[in-house]
Amino acid sequence: MLTLEGRTAVITGAARGQGAETARLFARLGARVVLGDIRDDLGETVAAEIGDAALYTPLDVTDESRWAAAVDIALDAFGGLDILVNNAGIFRSMPLRDESPEAFESTLRINLVGPFLGIRAVREPMIRAGGGSIVNISSIAGLTGIARTGGYGASKWGLRGLTKVAALELGEYGIRVNSVHPGIIDTPMVEGIAPPAGPGNHPGVALRRTGLPQDVAGLVAFLASDASAYLTGAEIAVDGGSTAGRAPAVTPTA
Ligand code: NAD
């Protein structure tokens, strides 16, 4: 059932990291993909690697006019729009006392207003198509409080809430809306902050390793596909068990 054959997706923040990996997996599963980002050179490269099933378009998620252009590209070039992955985001880490109102607001603008504009942009085409799937990439910082993530945590909790509202409002049109909450995933966003990928490198989580972009992409593909046809308004952590509780420091022998 895990196929995206005949589907068209818009993925934001697709020039690198989880967004690029999700675009690659979607294409392997049969989808056509519009990749949006502000890193144009990287985005063009990823789209070219994927081939005919992919197109890159400059898409600053805070710019409503660019959203309209991305939707038009999906409709004109690929003949539809069935999936939106609101993946673009920025991460800032600092204590509240050091976070300027401008920094706080700009994080909210990219991580929360961006997905809001995306949902608005795809609403009509998805209704016309008889349904769709919207996947919002939040974070474990949107499931629990994490110190030094004031603006980031607020944006990710906000996205989790926006997901529920959109699921309730769009369900009658067959549009499903779910949120994904990655733990620490080895991408450029956390380079130098997170333990690099590798078995046993992250003792604080149940699976004892940092996540990989493909760990997230697999879940996003499931949520985008008909394999999750009765799933909406849900929040799913993909975090190696880090929000399940505290991993034991030493593996018990019995
Ligand atoms: P990344 O930094 O590698 O990729 C993010 C992409 O978003 C970049 O290509 C960047 O250019 C793009 N972007 C930034 N601002 C944008 C804007 N205004 N418009 C369009 N694109 C923009 O990071 P990633 O780890 O792949 O992050 C993807 C998503 O996953 C983000 O929403 C992030 O908050 C979330 N997340 C990441 C982790 C992690 O540990 N890596 C953990 C939890 C959640």
Side-chain angles (χ1 to χ4, degrees):
M1 247 176 126
L2 199 57
T3 172
L4 296 175
E5 207 63 55
R7 304 286 163 89
T8 299
V10 171
I11 304 176
T12 68
R16 68 181 199 187
Q18 296 170 41
E21 195 56 34
T22 300
R24 291 186 192 102
L25 178 60
F26 274 27
R28 284 204 298 278
L29 292 171
R32 283 153 309 181
V33 197
V34 177
L35 296 87
D37 207 294
I38 50 174
R39 292 177 202 271
D40 298 340
D41 290 351
L42 273 182
E44 295 279 11
T45 306
V46 176
E49 262 171 35
I50 294 174
D52 290 346
L55 280 173
Y56 175 79
T57 188
L59 170 57
D60 179 339
V61 293
T62 66
D63 181 346
E64 203 163 6
S65 67
R66 290 310 309 166
W67 271 110
V71 167
D72 284 348
I73 288 171
L75 296 176
D76 295 345
F78 294 139
L81 176 51
D82 313 286
I83 301 159
L84 167 64
V85 184
N86 274 317
N87 164 80
I90 61 159
F91 177 69
R92 287 194 176 103
S93 174
M94 68 193 94
L96 290 174
R97 66 159 191 267
D98 296 338
E99 191 160 17
S100 69
E102 293 74 25
F104 189 93
E105 267 186 35
S106 84
T107 304
L108 285 183
R109 179 121 196 104
I110 296 166
N111 293 3
L112 182 55
V113 178
F116 162 73
L117 294 176
I119 292 167
R120 278 169 58 91
V122 302
R123 186 180 174 280
E124 283 303 324
M126 283 187 180
I127 290 175
R128 279 201 304 276
S133 174
I134 299 173
V135 184
N136 293 327
I137 309 300
S138 175
S139 165
I140 55 170
L143 292 174
T144 185
I146 299 180
R148 305 173 68 93
T149 66
Y152 185 77
S155 72
K156 295 301 189 180
W157 277 79
L159 187 53
R160 178 184 172 199
L162 179 65
T163 300
K164 313 285 185 208
V165 173
L168 292 169
E169 291 190 11
L170 299 177
E172 66 178 299
Y173 306 109
I175 302 170
R176 302 183 295 105
V177 193
N178 294 289
S179 61
V180 164
H181 300 261
I184 295 180
I185 309 296
D186 190 18
T187 71
M189 178 176 276
V190 295
E191 217 168 79
I193 319 174
N201 72 340
H202 194 355
V205 306
L207 293 180
R208 305 293 199 276
R209 67 171 177 88
T210 300
L212 297 169
Q214 48 267 43
D215 293 319
V216 178
L219 173 58
V220 177
F222 166 71
L223 290 172
S225 79
D226 290 345
S228 59
Y230 199 52
L231 227 160
T232 197
E235 54 199 47
I236 305 183
V238 50
D239 65 350
S242 75
T243 50
R246 195 179 300 180
V250 178
T251 308
T253 49

